[in-house]
Structure formats: structure tokens, C-alpha cells
Amino acid sequence: MLGTTFVLALRSIRRHLLRSFLTTLGIIIGVAAVVTMVTLGKATTAQVQQNISSLGTNILQVRPGQGFGRGGGGPRPPDFKPEDVEAIANQIAGVSAVAPQAQSTATAIYEGANWSTTINGTTAAYFQVQPWPLAAGRLWTSQEESAGKAVCIIGNTVRQNLFRTGRAVGQRFRVGAVSCDVIGVLSTRGQAGFGGDQDDVVIMPIKTVQRRFTGTRDVRLMLVGVDQAYSTATVQAGITDLLRERRTITAGKDDDFNIFDTKQISDTLSSTTTLLTRIVTAVAGISLVVGGIGIMNIMLVSVTERTREIGIRLAIGAVASEVLLQFLVEAVVLSMLGGVIGLLLAQVAIGALSALGGLPYLFVPEINAIAFGISAVIGVVFGYFPARRAAALNPIDALRHE
Amino acid sequence: MVAVAAAVVVGAGAAAVASNAAAAASPDGADALIALRGVTKSYGEGGTAFQALKGVDLDILAGDFVAVMGPSGSGKSTTMNILGCLDVPSGGTFLFRGYQVETLNRDQRALLRRRYLGFVFQGFNLLSRTTALENVELPLLYRGDEKKARRELSMAALEKVGLDRWWDHTPAELSGGQQQRVAIARAIVTQPDVLLADEPTGNLDSERSVEIMELLTDLNRGGITVLMVTHEPDMAAFARTVIHFKDGLVERIERNHHQGQPVEGGA
Ligand SMILES: Nc1ncnc2c1ncn2[C@@H]1O[C@H](COP(=O)(O)OP(=O)(O)OP(=O)(O)O)[C@@H](O)[C@H]1O
Ligand SMILES: [Mg+2]
């Protein structure tokens, strides 16, 4: 009986292709919207989290100044001193390592190729607080670090622009006024969400950079690694107290430095994107319900329009439940067909939009399954009422219907 | 669901057969395929009720070709609807193949129609945008035949009405006469006992009408009992029995004593 009904339903859909398409349009759009929104939301969240975790989790970034969007006028607050780095490393519980950074920019030159890049001076701690494995070569030794040797570890972008396909480790190139040996090449990190290409960098021992580039012992930035067992907030508070004291900031005055907790930012951003995703999904979900009502509307119209057809079927010997089932199956097939088309459309939209937004293409099986399931349920729910009405028709009246 | 309903029909049938013993005792209802006893039908309720049939007694023998005639409003269609198990009498008894039809429910009557009855309507009533073959196939689909059997039986039925070459045409691509022949093919594809036709030639010109009557005569010779309502004596002349209705009652019954084709100008 279901087989027969299925054949009848498919024939009826095929007979009225345009009407069938218009009927399912609401479902198509609804399903496509829901799946696209949820998937893009997930992709964005994943992207944000990946960007942040590429900075390292459990890391505090300590900078002079009042942080984003504040600071305003007045003299620039002083950079940190090497002694501040020592103090944080030794006096705050839960600090696993502190990597000071001194930064400059310079042009790197190798056999006629030249490339303007960022020079980052730091210590070996830099590679402890955040995971950034080498693709080739080695780190500098502590002797090289304390002696301020001209040894460099280069990012992949720099390697590509200076050495092309050639071997970089072991080569000597000029960066600014310094002649530098390449001892290591970093693995690729890719585009950061904030502040460009992370691979466009030359890393040297901090002493080398301070002596040959910045000319001061100042530290622009400290990366503080936090022990897993400690909360970043506690450590952050400890560092704040210590630095206020060391920088003699009297009570009541604002900090002249800021501490950026990547984990906290990550949590905030993901909860924001999650919320946004939920809102947009709810809106898309409403469109799915509207699509269902569209199906019911057209099925009801179609019952009236096809009254005579129903009369013919009843006269020929269809029992009421067969007519009911035919209309129900028609509605379900239509809405599931709409669901499938919607899913396909969603994949196209996701592909296009994520390419546009620089997001990775994501396929989330659950949401596809759920959206498809909902479309089937909509078919049953909104198809039932018109189907029951069709099945209840009296064959004589139905046959006489014009 | 259908299976259950079918079982109920059979059960009810057994009961009806038992009660049929009484009807069988009556001299003229003994071997009738269809027997109406005191059948009444009223439309509406209470004071505004209208009695369309006022006590019809009728026996129709298997293999007969019956024409039903009478003035407009005399109850011809009402009777046909009851005989076609599309409607139930308000009073009286309708026996068909031993089933006491007025005791059956909607679905049981649907199954009787599916198994034993074929319908031809004045307005053809084919499914639009559906090929002749698919139209003819429809009763077989409800009966649950396999695809191959459906094709073969449907093509055979179309061949019987001379339209096998038109199997893939939709009603819109067929003339009125051709549409009515497709409808007849649909009605006979299940090899029913009875073919019911309410004014089958009402929408056709006289030449096309004669073709349809010849077809019905042919089918009747093949063993199908044909019941047909008509206003035209020329068409009624094809039948063996002519039943005249008047004011919701059978007025008189005539026998046409012809073998096969009626003589020009009626019997
Ligand atoms: N559904 C209905 N409701 C109320 N009255 C009805 C209904 N169907 C038929 N009637 C009435 O019953 C009477 C008999 O109708 P019926 O259709 O049987 O006539 P008929 O003999 O077929 O006439 P015609 O030759 O015009 O088709 C008519 O007076 C009609 O108005
Ligand atoms: Mg009539």
C-alpha cells in the first residue's frame, strides 16, 4: 500500500512540477538558511579559536600602555626593563616562563632578493610558552643567547622571499646592518586574525636585537607562560601588583601597562559568536516554519482543486486511508525533496561565503541531518490536515465538484 | 489496513449471504446479481427532507444490458449511486453478490467498487495531465497489481476500446469520444461484474454515441453486466432491458427483443 501510494504521490508531483517547486520553495530556503547559518557560525567560531590558540593558550601578553582604545594623549609609558622580566619570572607563583620581546623592522637581503620584515628579539623561553615548532634547523644555544650572536630563526614567508626553493639553514644573509646566520626555519602558522602574516618574521636573541637594532635594553612586550595548574586571572593579578609596584604607580592611578589574556579573549569571542549563531539560526528556523505553512497552504488549495480527482479515486475503489496516505506522502516527499535541495544549496552557499570570508569550508553532519529531519517532520505535520480533509470527502459530492 | 477492511467485507458478506436466504425465497430475486427491495432515499432532514426514491424494487440478472430512462429528477442517478455502492439507501435493502450493502461501511463499499464495479461518467472524469495508460492503470494500482501485470492488463483494455496506439496521450490530446473510451477501458480493466454508466453519451455527438454503445454491447457480450442511464431512446435501444423511472419509482420495465444490433429506428 505504501509502495502504491508512493507511486501515486510521485506521479502527482511530476504532473504539477511548477506548483510542486513553488510549494517546496519555502522549505528549500528555510533548510538552506539554517544549515548555512549554523555552519558558517561554527566555522567562524572555529576560526576565531584557532587564531587565538595560535597565539598560545595560557599565555598573558604584557605591554606598556593602556591597551586597546585607551591611552589617548600624554607621554608614552616606558617600556619594560630586563629586571621586570626577571622579577615576574622569579616572584610570581604559577609563571612557567617569561619571554621578553624587543621588536624592530628591517630589510633582509640575500643574493639580490630583498624583503622588508619584522625583527623579533627574544629568548629561548619564547618557544616554551607557545608551541611553534621548527620546520628545519635548531634553536640557539644559551651561549649564543647570552653572547648576543647574530643567529636567526626565520619565518616561512621570509624563507620563501629570500631563499625561494633553496636551502635556508646554514646560509648567511643581511638584515639591516647585521650579517646573520640562518640556524632554523619555523613551521608555517598562517594568517593571524589580528595583525597580518605571522610567518613574516626574523627571530634573534634579544641581546642581538637590543644591541644592533633598537639600541636600548628596553623590552616592548613580555609573553608570560602560565602553569596549567594556575588560573590566568590569579597570575594576571599578581603581575599587575608587581608591575604597579615596580613602575611606582600610586594607588588610585590607572595602570600604565596592560595584560592581555588570550584564554579570556577566546572565551569571550566564542561566546559572542555562539550567541550570534543562535540568533541567526532562530531567524532561519522561523523561515523553515513559514515554509511548512506554505506547504500546508498549497496542499489545502490542491485538495480543493483536486476534489474531482479525489472523487475519481474514491469511485475507482480507493479507501479513505489510501487517499489520506497519498496526500500525506505527497507533502512529505515534497518537503523532503525541498530539504535535499536546500542542503545542496546550503553547501554551495557555504562554499561561496566561506571562500569570501576566508573561512575554512566546513561540513557539519549533525546540522544537515537535523535540518533534513525537520523538513520531513514539517511534511508530516503540515501535510496531515489537508490529507485528512481529502480523505473525508464524499465520492458523489467530489465527483460532482466543478 | 486494506487487508483488514477486506476481511470485514468477507465477514459481512457471510452474514449477508445468510440473510439473503429470505430474499432468495422471493420468486424473481432468486438468481439476481443485484436486488433492490423497497429502497428509499431522502435528502435533507425533517420538514425539508426530500424523498428522491420512494420504494424501489428491482432485480437485475447477471449478464443483462440495462438502460435506465425517465424524466429529469426521477431518481435515475440516485439509483445508480446506490447500485454503484457510492451511496447507501435511507431505507430498504440492497443485495449485491450476497452482500447486504446498506450494512457495509465506507471502506468496505470502496473495496466492493474496487473488485466488482466499473464506472463510466458523463463527463469522462479522467485524471488530467495523465496519459491514457496511467489512467487505465489506476484501478490496478489500488488493487495492488505488479507493474508488469498493470502494463499488460491496461494495454489489453486499451486495445479492447481501440486506443492502444494512443496509450501515451493525455486527455487534453484526445477527442471526447476517445476520452470516453479511455474511461471505459479504465472501468473494465479489473474485469468487473458490473459496468455502471450514468449518461455515458451525454457529452458526445450521435455518431460518437453509437460507437460507445457498440463498445458497451460488445463488452456485455463478453459477460459484463451493463447498467446505463440515458435520455435517448436510440441509445436505450441497444439495451436488452429498459427500466423507466418516474417520481422516484420504477414505472415499467420493457424487454427489447433483438439479437445484437438494434434495428434502425428502434425495436
Ligand atoms: N445531494 C442531493 N441533495 C438534495 N437533493 C438531491 C441530491 N441529489 C439529488 N437530489 C434530488 O433528488 C432527485 C433525483 O435526482 P437524480 O439526480 O437521481 O435525478 P435524475 O433522474 O438523475 O435526473 P437527471 O436526468 O436530470 O440526471 C432530484 O429532485 C434532485 O434534486
Ligand atoms: Mg442524473
Side-chain angles (χ1 to χ4, degrees):
Chain A
M1 174 161 163
L2 201 62
T4 305
T5 317
F6 207 72
V7 172
L8 291 173
L10 283 185
R11 281 186 185 175
S12 168
I13 289 169
R14 197 189 57 203
R15 219 171 284 144
H16 305 278
L17 268 185
L18 182 64
R19 186 178 71 190
S20 303
F21 173 72
L22 291 177
T23 308
T24 58
L25 203 55
I27 298 285
I28 294 176
I29 292 172
V31 166
V34 167
V35 172
T36 307
M37 287 312 153
V38 172
T39 307
L40 287 182
K42 285 216 177 215
T44 311
T45 311
Q47 174 82 341
V48 166
Q49 264 159 354
Q50 194 208 325
N51 280 340
I52 290 176
S53 70
S54 78
L55 297 175
T57 47
N58 288 331
I59 295 178
L60 300 174
Q61 293 190 3
V62 189
R63 293 168 203 269
Q66 288 187 319
F68 297 125
R70 286 188 281 155
R76 215 178 86 102
D79 284 352
F80 305 111
K81 297 294 171 203
E83 292 74 23
D84 295 327
V85 178
E86 291 293 311
I88 290 172
N90 297 332
Q91 294 174 29
I92 310 284
V95 171
S96 60
V98 182
Q101 278 178 257
Q103 285 174 336
S104 180
T105 53
T107 304
I109 302 165
Y110 177 76
E111 288 183 351
N114 56 71
W115 182 251
S116 174
T117 186
T118 305
I119 311 299
N120 191 356
T122 186
T123 62
Y126 183 75
F127 298 98
Q128 281 170 36
V129 296
Q130 57 175 353
W132 197 355
L134 292 176
R138 59 173 180 89
L139 292 181
W140 56 70
T141 62
S142 52
Q143 287 87 345
E144 284 168 329
E145 183 175 301
S146 50
K149 284 273 169 51
V151 287
C152 319
I153 296 170
I154 61 176
N156 197 42
T157 305
V158 175
R159 182 195 64 77
Q160 278 170 352
N161 285 289
L162 289 188
F163 301 100
R164 313 279 168 210
T165 55
R167 195 179 144 77
V169 176
Q171 306 297 326
R172 175 171 291 192
F173 72 107
R174 273 169 58 83
V175 50
V178 180
S179 217
C180 186
D181 287 323
V182 179
I183 58 167
V185 177
L186 289 160
S187 56
T188 309
R189 251 190 180 180
Q191 211 70 22
F194 343 81
D197 183 0
Q198 299 184 88
D199 298 318
D200 188 7
V201 70
V202 172
I203 301 179
M204 296 187 214
I206 187 163
K207 272 202 180 139
T208 320
V209 174
Q210 286 169 335
R211 245 184 244 147
R212 315 288 288 270
F213 292 92
T214 63
T216 70
R217 295 174 64 236
D218 290 352
V219 171
R220 273 317 302 280
L221 165 69
M222 292 182 279
L223 290 186
V224 180
V226 177
D227 206 308
Q228 291 288 351
Y230 289 78
S231 94
T232 49
T234 315
V235 174
Q236 181 174 356
I239 295 172
T240 306
D241 288 346
L242 180 67
L243 285 179
R244 283 180 72 91
E245 191 190 313
R246 294 186 65 84
R247 290 161 83 90
T248 58
I249 300 166
T250 49
K253 279 199 159 178
D254 287 339
D255 298 345
D256 66 350
F257 57 91
N258 69 83
I259 303 176
F260 182 99
D261 181 348
T262 51
K263 186 162 182 306
Q264 184 194 327
I265 299 281
S266 156
D267 291 348
T268 311
L269 279 179
S270 5
S271 67
T272 310
T273 47
T274 307
L275 181 69
L276 270 176
T277 307
R278 288 213 182 117
I279 292 170
V280 177
T281 306
V283 173
I286 290 170
S287 78
L288 204 52
V289 173
V290 172
I293 294 171
I295 283 213
M296 174 156 80
N297 189 18
I298 300 207
M299 292 303 291
L300 275 176
V301 169
S302 137
V303 167
T304 314
E305 196 185 284
R306 289 161 64 189
T307 298
R308 210 216 266 261
E309 174 195 324
I310 295 163
I312 296 168
R313 291 181 187 281
L314 290 170
I316 278 171
V319 295
S321 59
E322 283 168 328
V323 173
L324 182 123
L325 209 60
Q326 185 194 331
F327 272 76
L328 201 56
V329 168
E330 259 186 68
V332 174
V333 166
L334 275 183
S335 59
M336 295 208 313
L337 224 59
V340 169
I341 297 173
L343 289 186
L344 294 178
L345 205 66
Q347 308 316 317
V348 174
I350 292 165
L353 288 173
S354 48
L356 216 70
L359 293 170
Y361 172 80
L362 213 60
F363 180 78
V364 189
E366 308 94 84
I367 184 59
N368 284 275
I370 290 171
F372 182 70
I374 289 177
S375 72
V377 168
I378 281 179
V380 173
V381 170
F382 292 102
Y384 182 74
F385 181 57
R388 215 187 47 182
R389 177 180 273 202
L393 285 174
N394 172 340
I396 300 168
D397 297 340
L399 278 170
R400 210 177 282 145
H401 190 268
E402 282 308 317
Chain B
M1 167 134 230
V2 173
V4 172
V8 175
V9 165
V10 172
V17 168
S19 71
N20 197 16
S26 85
D28 53 356
D31 41 24
L33 176 68
I34 289 167
L36 298 183
R37 289 289 172 276
V39 165
T40 60
K41 180 74 189 176
S42 354
Y43 293 108
E45 309 245 315
T48 59
F50 175 80
Q51 201 161 33
L53 296 181
K54 297 169 180 164
V56 175
D57 295 312
L58 201 58
D59 288 293
I60 291 164
L61 300 177
D64 203 357
F65 186 164
V66 179
V68 177
M69 298 193 76
S72 188
S74 57
K76 303 183 296 293
S77 295
T78 305
T79 307
M80 287 298 265
N81 288 340
I82 291 173
L83 294 178
C85 301
L86 290 165
D87 209 348
V88 282
S90 310
T93 297
F94 166 31
L95 287 171
F96 172 55
R97 287 185 66 102
Y99 297 107
Q100 205 170 337
V101 177
E102 72 275 9
T103 64
L104 304 182
N105 68 23
R106 218 177 113 100
D107 283 352
Q108 290 167 336
R109 280 184 280 123
L111 290 173
L112 276 187
R113 294 197 293 273
R114 179 186 298 189
R115 301 229 175 105
Y116 307 120
L117 301 175
F119 290 89
V120 176
F121 306 95
Q122 178 176 357
F124 319 139
N125 275 338
L126 297 174
L127 295 189
S128 57
R129 307 195 201 194
T130 305
T131 63
L133 184 69
E134 281 182 359
N135 264 295
V136 174
E137 237 182 10
L138 203 58
L140 300 177
L141 259 168
Y142 284 114
R143 199 169 74 173
D145 284 20
E146 290 302 319
K147 186 170 181 155
K148 194 163 166 283
R150 289 203 311 258
R151 289 284 134 131
E152 281 168 6
L153 289 173
S154 307
M155 281 311 285
L158 280 173
E159 209 177 311
K160 246 186 206 165
V161 301
L163 283 180
D164 46 324
R165 285 189 300 118
W166 300 77
W167 66 272
D168 61 342
H169 287 241
T170 62
E173 299 160 356
L174 296 170
S175 74
Q178 287 174 324
Q179 286 185 56
Q180 193 60 304
R181 284 192 297 180
V182 172
I184 291 171
R186 182 181 64 189
I188 61 165
V189 73
T190 55
Q191 293 173 303
D193 290 352
V194 183
L195 185 69
L196 295 127
D198 195 344
E199 302 190 39
T201 58
N203 285 7
L204 300 175
D205 62 39
S206 57
E207 213 171 314
R208 247 28 76 194
S209 298
V210 168
E211 282 174 22
I212 294 295
M213 293 323 295
E214 281 166 353
L215 184 54
L216 291 182
T217 306
D218 232 38
L219 293 171
N220 175 245
R221 280 208 197 100
I224 299 178
T225 308
V226 178
L227 299 182
M228 166 188 82
V229 172
T230 183
H231 281 287
E232 297 157 83
D234 290 359
M235 300 304 133
F238 282 83
R240 214 171 295 138
T241 305
V242 184
I243 301 173
H244 292 269
F245 268 76
K246 196 176 179 191
D247 292 335
L249 286 169
V250 176
E251 187 190 32
R252 66 195 153 88
I253 299 177
E254 282 179 301
R255 306 274 169 193
N256 285 336
H257 297 287
H258 58 70
Q259 301 293 319
Q261 292 298 315
V263 188
E264 203 66 40

